[in-house]
Amino acid sequence: MQAKNAAILGVSFDTVEENRHFAEKFNFPYPLLSDTTKAMGLQYGAADSTSAGNAKRVAYVIGPDGKVKNVFPKANTGTFAADVLALL
């Protein structure tokens, strides 16, 4: 992704510590941010309410201008990086 001047960030409703353990266990190749209040999840459609247990797997491609360029309403974790690279 660096060759395309892009970055992938993940977000979950877990705590920073829980995300750190998860990332270490599964060798996550990108930063995993913590949204324990679910504010970001609500804004980006990954949750319908603050009572949601888990985030939906939605993904956004945001351009350098801060505008949403593409939305993946049901991101496939197995193909996501290749799907985004195809857009860039």
Side-chain angles (χ1 to χ4, degrees), residues 9-23:
L9 302 174
V11 182
S12 85
F13 298 151
D14 294 327
T15 65
V16 171
E17 185 67 15
E18 289 169 321
N19 281 343
R20 186 180 65 75
H21 286 298
F22 182 86

Side-chain angles (χ1 to χ4, degrees), residues 25 43 51 68 71 73:
K25 181 177 180 179
Q43 289 289 318
S51 63
V68 173
V71 178

Side-chain angles (χ1 to χ4, degrees), residues 1 6-12 19-20 22-24 26-33 57-59 75-78 80-81:
M1 288 302 211
I8 295 177
L9 302 174
V11 182
S12 85
N19 281 343
R20 186 180 65 75
F22 182 86
E24 287 174 358
F26 293 103
N27 287 328
F28 247 44
Y30 51 85
L32 187 55
L33 308 176
R57 292 196 185 272
V58 297
N76 179 332
T77 57
F80 180 67

